[in-house]
Amino acid sequence: MADDCLFCKIVAGDVPSTKVYEDEHTIAFQDINPQAPTHVLVVPREHHTDVADVARDPHTAAALLAGVRGFAAQQGLTDFRTVFNTGAGVGQTVFHVHAHVLAGRPFGWPPG
Ligand code: AMP
Ligand code: ZN
């Protein structure tokens, strides 16, 4: 657990969240400021700062994608968008890697 990491605290249960999925290596919870009818954050239990950092640990990186798949399968979601923000310059605000999983409304491409 990293000091002062919000999502480590959520994983530990020290900060409340609305958990919607969990498995051995990941948990998923509702985003507090949803941008779509379905908007959850899938995070590895282990702390990594961003997608570039977790890519150095292929086991955890694969487990994170398996968590995305597991959540989608549980919800019966076939169409969803997965977003990883990397760096404050594109809006990353929590530096514990997380997959945004969004669904339930039309999404344009390319994203705005
Ligand atoms: P990012 O901008 O990619 O770092 O995403 C961080 C996300 O975490 C944002 O969409 C926030 O709405 C969300 N968020 C921040 N605090 C909480 C919290 N306590 N519980 C759930 N989601 C949160
Ligand atoms: Zn963390």
Side-chain angles (χ1 to χ4, degrees):
M1 168 154 170
D3 288 347
D4 270 344
C5 172
L6 175 62
F7 289 174
C8 280
K9 289 176 183 165
I10 285 178
V11 168
D14 295 338
V15 168
S17 70
T18 304
K19 207 184 287 181
V20 293
Y21 172 83
E22 65 183 316
D23 60 32
E24 186 182 353
H25 297 293
T26 69
I27 74 166
F29 51 91
Q30 305 277 13
D31 195 294
I32 207 168
N33 182 23
Q35 302 300 312
T38 296
H39 186 176
V40 309
L41 304 173
V42 183
V43 310
R45 295 180 186 274
E46 194 172 290
H47 181 86
H48 297 272
T49 57
D50 57 30
V51 74
D53 185 31
V54 77
R56 293 189 202 99
D57 175 357
H59 179 262
T60 303
L64 178 53
L65 292 184
V68 172
R69 181 199 169 277
F71 166 72
Q74 173 196 271
Q75 299 292 312
L77 283 179
T78 55
D79 298 62
F80 56 92
R81 181 159 291 175
T82 307
V83 174
F84 291 94
N85 289 323
T86 304
V90 298
Q92 187 177 5
T93 57
V94 180
F95 290 85
H96 178 130
V97 65
H98 49 278
H100 294 259
V101 178
L102 301 128
R105 66 166 170 82
F107 290 92
W109 189 262

